[in-house]
Amino acid sequence: MIQIERSFIMSVTTTAPPQKARTTAQNIGLILSFIVLGAILLLPTPDTLSTGGHRMIGVLAFAIILWMTSAVSYPVSATMITALTALLLGFSPNPEAPAKAMGTANALKLIISGYSSPAMILVGAAMFISVAMRKTGLDRRIAMLVLSSVGTKVSRIYLGVIITGLILAFFVPSATARIACLAPIIIGIVENLGIERKSRVAALLMVGAVQADTFWNIMIQTAAAQNLVAVGFMQTQMNTSISWIDWLTAAAPFSITMVIIAYFLTQALIKPEFKELVGGDVQLAKMLQEIGPMSNDEKKLLCISIGLLALWATGGKLHSIDTTTTTIIAIALFFFPKIGIMDWKFAQPNIDWGSIVMFGAGIGLGSVLLKTKAATWLAQVFVNAFSLESASVFILIAVMAAFLIVIHLGFASATALSSAMIPIVISIVVGHNAEGLNPIGVTMLMQYAICFGLVLPVNSPQGMVAYGTDTFDVKTFMTTGIPLTIIGYVMMLVFALTYWHWIGIA
C-alpha cells in the first residue's frame, strides 16, 4: 500500500506526463493570443501611456489568453513572454532618452528581474520542502496519525481530512503536494473497505479536502505560491511587507469560518451513502503500521520544519530575519552533510523546474507593467469603467474582489492570476484617495479573492490532482463550489465591515 501511495504521489507531482496531441481549443488559443497582441500593437498609443507601456499591455493580453486557454504549458508561455518583452520593449523609446531605443539587453534585464526577487527564491525553496516531505514520508505519517485517531464515522474522517490539510499547510508550502499526499490515503481507505471509488463518500472526502485547502491557502502566507508572488510585489513596489504572523492574524478568522461552513455545506450537498465506515479503524491502523517506525530523516525534517515555522511566526517580532532567508537556511540544512536528509541527485529530478521558470516570468511581467506605468494606466481604465473615482473603501473592495473571483474562472493557476492582476491592484489602491484606505491591507484582501478557485477542478492544480482520482465529476465539484464562492464573497464583505475594519486593513 505504501509503495502504491509513493508511486501515486510521485506521478502526480514530479513525473512529466506523456506528450499529448494538441487540441483544437489550444490551437485557437495560440492563434488568438497573437491576433490580440497584433491588434493592440496596431492601435494608436494613448496620450497618457508610453509606447513601452502600450506594448506591454499587448504582452499582458497575450499572456492572459495563453494562460486561460492553456494554449501552451506554463514554462513555454514564460519563454514566449520573455522573448516578446525583450523585443517589443527593447525597440521602444527609452523613457530617459526618448530619441533612443531602450535596447533589448535593458528590456531583458527588466523581464528577468523576477528571477532574482525574494518571492521567486522563496517559491523555489518551498518546492525543496515539498520534495523533502515526500522523500521522508513525514507528510503521510502526519496524515495517518490524524486520520487514525478521529474514529470511523464518515463525518469524523472528513473532519480528520480537513485537520490534516491544515497541519500540512503549515509545513508543506504547496497545495498540490498536500492533496497529492491525501488523495492516495483517501483512495486506500475507500477501496480497501470495498467502497466504490465513484461513491458519494469518496467524493465528499476528496472534494472537501480540495475546498478546505483553498481556504487554508488564504490563511497561511507560505501555504501557496500565489501568496508569495503577491508579497513579492508588495515588497518591491510598495516598499513594505506583511509578516507571516500578521498575515495569519488577518486571514485566520475568515478562513476558519469558511472551512466550518464548507464542512457542513458539503455534507449536506454530497450526502454520503452511510454514516460510518465499518472496519475503517482497522484499515487505518493497518496503513499506519505499514509506514513503520519514524526514521531519523523524518525526525530531522520535523525538527527543521518546526524551527522554520517558529522563525516564520516570529519574524519582525522577535527577530529581523526575513521569511526568504530563514527558508534558505532550512534548505541548506536539508543538504548539509550528516545533518541533511537528501542530496542534490535526489532533489534535482524531483523539482518542478518548469513552474519555477513560470513564476519568475510572471513576477517579471508584473514588474515591467509597473515600471512602464502600464499597470497604472490599466488601473485608471478599471476605475473609470466601474466609476470608482470617489468610491469608498468598502465599494472598492467589493468591486475588485468580485472582478477577481469571476476572472479566476478562466484561469488554471492562481499564481498566473496574481502575476497578472496584483500589479494592477497595487496601482489602483496606491492611486486612490478614499478616506481610510490602507493600500497594503486592501492588496492583501485582493490576494485572498484571487485564491478563490472553488468552482471548477481546473481552477487550481490541486483541484486537477483530485479530479484525476476519478472519485467525482465536474458537476459534483460545482455543486459545492458555486455556493461556497458566493458565501465566501459575502463573508469577505462582512469581514471588511467588521474584523478587517477593526484591525485597520479595510
Side-chain angles (χ1 to χ4, degrees), residues 420-454:
M421 293 297 145
I422 288 298
I424 299 172
V425 168
I426 289 173
S427 294
I428 291 174
V429 297
V430 169
H432 209 279
N433 57 4
E435 184 179 355
L437 175 65
N438 179 344
I440 290 289
V442 174
T443 302
M444 182 170 64
L445 298 187
M446 293 307 100
Q447 178 56 35
Y448 297 171
I450 283 175
C451 291
F452 271 54
L454 297 160

Side-chain angles (χ1 to χ4, degrees), residues 66-132:
L66 285 186
W67 291 334
M68 293 181 74
T69 61
S70 298
V72 295
S73 66
Y74 286 118
V76 173
S77 73
T79 60
M80 295 170 75
I81 291 165
T82 302
L84 281 172
T85 301
L87 288 172
L88 295 176
L89 190 60
F91 286 100
S92 300
N94 190 331
E96 298 177 0
K100 297 181 179 180
M102 177 179 288
T104 55
N106 292 326
L108 187 60
K109 287 179 183 178
L110 286 177
I111 188 62
I112 66 174
S113 64
Y115 292 99
S116 62
S117 69
M120 172 66 210
I121 296 171
L122 186 55
V123 166
M127 292 188 178
F128 282 94
I129 296 175
S130 296
V131 169

Side-chain angles (χ1 to χ4, degrees), residues 278-496:
V278 179
D281 52 346
V282 176
Q283 182 57 38
L284 284 166
K286 180 183 177 183
M287 292 172 70
L288 180 59
Q289 186 178 12
E290 288 175 348
I291 295 177
M294 197 171 192
S295 67
N296 287 332
D297 281 351
E298 284 181 90
K299 293 175 183 177
K300 292 177 189 176
L301 178 57
L302 182 61
C303 291
I304 294 172
S305 297
I306 291 173
L308 180 59
L309 184 63
L311 288 171
W312 282 346
T314 56
K317 308 294 181 183
L318 300 181
H319 63 84
S320 59
I321 307 174
D322 62 280
T323 302
T324 303
T325 300
T326 55
T327 308
I328 292 296
I329 292 171
I331 303 305
L333 291 175
F334 287 174
F335 291 107
F336 202 85
K338 302 297 182 180
I339 298 175
I341 55 178
M342 62 183 178
D343 57 24
W344 184 257
K345 287 184 179 179
F346 178 86
Q348 188 272 333
N350 290 301
I351 294 293
D352 186 358
W353 298 105
S355 293
I356 292 179
V357 171
M358 185 269 168
F359 293 145
I363 296 170
L365 176 60
S367 298
V368 175
L369 288 170
L370 287 159
K371 186 79 173 178
T372 60
K373 306 297 183 184
T376 304
W377 188 86
L378 287 171
Q380 191 57 51
V381 170
F382 183 89
V383 168
N384 293 339
F386 290 95
S387 302
L388 298 176
E389 297 89 346
S390 57
S392 65
V393 176
F394 177 77
I395 295 299
L396 194 65
I397 291 172
V399 172
M400 288 198 298
F403 175 79
L404 293 170
I405 290 171
V406 170
I407 199 173
H408 194 165
L409 293 174
F411 279 79
S413 167
T415 304
L417 186 58
S418 289
S419 299
M421 293 297 145
I422 288 298
I424 299 172
V425 168
I426 289 173
S427 294
I428 291 174
V429 297
V430 169
H432 209 279
N433 57 4
E435 184 179 355
L437 175 65
N438 179 344
I440 290 289
V442 174
T443 302
M444 182 170 64
L445 298 187
M446 293 307 100
Q447 178 56 35
Y448 297 171
I450 283 175
C451 291
F452 271 54
L454 297 160
V455 176
L456 295 167
V458 296
N459 288 152
S460 67
Q462 63 267 27
M464 289 186 278
V465 168
Y467 185 65
T469 63
D470 198 33
T471 53
F472 61 89
D473 54 27
V474 174
K475 181 180 178 182
T476 302
F477 197 90
M478 292 179 67
T479 298
T480 64
I482 291 174
L484 280 175
T485 298
I486 295 170
I487 294 170
Y489 174 68
V490 172
M491 290 303 298
M492 280 196 73
L493 301 185
V494 171
F495 270 74

Side-chain angles (χ1 to χ4, degrees), residues 20 33 36-37 120 169 188 214 255 278 307 382 443 496 503:
K20 294 181 180 179
S33 64
V36 171
L37 171 61
M120 172 66 210
T214 294
S255 292
V278 179
F382 183 89
T443 302
I503 63 175

Side-chain angles (χ1 to χ4, degrees), residues 10 22 43 88 91 118 169-170 200 207 253 264 338 349-350 386:
M10 296 301 286
R22 290 183 59 80
L43 291 173
L88 295 176
F91 286 100
F170 283 102
R200 290 195 297 277
V207 171
F264 291 105
K338 302 297 182 180
N350 290 301
F386 290 95

